[in-house]
Amino acid sequence: MPKIKTHKGIAKRVKTTASGKIKRHKGFHSHILTKKSGKRKRKLRKATLLDKTYQKRYKKLLPYK
């Protein structure tokens, strides 16, 4: 049985937690920040878990993570 290739684009963008969930960073925090409130920018700094509807799809792309 051949090895399954890891999707490198996804692998660079996400991390897997100890319980097997996928953690990602939020977007909209690189430019045009003056119009966004401090509270919004502070919340965008933090990582969040990937939505459960995408978990299965992403796990297929990351077979060894």
Side-chain angles (χ1 to χ4, degrees), residues 2-6 16 59 61-65:
K3 292 181 185 175
I4 306 166
K5 287 192 175 182
T6 298
T16 310
K59 283 186 180 180
L61 298 171
L62 305 168
Y64 305 107
K65 249 188 165 193

Side-chain angles (χ1 to χ4, degrees), residues 21-51:
K21 292 177 183 167
I22 298 173
K23 202 163 75 168
R24 67 172 181 85
H25 283 284
K26 295 177 184 175
F28 300 99
H29 196 254
S30 58
H31 60 96
I32 316 174
L33 299 173
T34 50
K35 63 173 85 169
K36 295 169 188 162
S37 69
K39 181 182 177 182
R40 185 172 165 194
K41 288 185 277 192
R42 205 163 40 247
K43 286 187 182 276
L44 288 171
R45 261 185 239 150
K46 297 187 175 167
T48 184
L49 291 175
L50 189 71
D51 192 71

Side-chain angles (χ1 to χ4, degrees), residues 1-15:
M1 197 72 187
K3 292 181 185 175
I4 306 166
K5 287 192 175 182
T6 298
H7 192 290
K8 291 299 187 180
I10 302 286
K12 290 169 190 173
R13 287 169 172 81
V14 299
K15 297 266 185 277

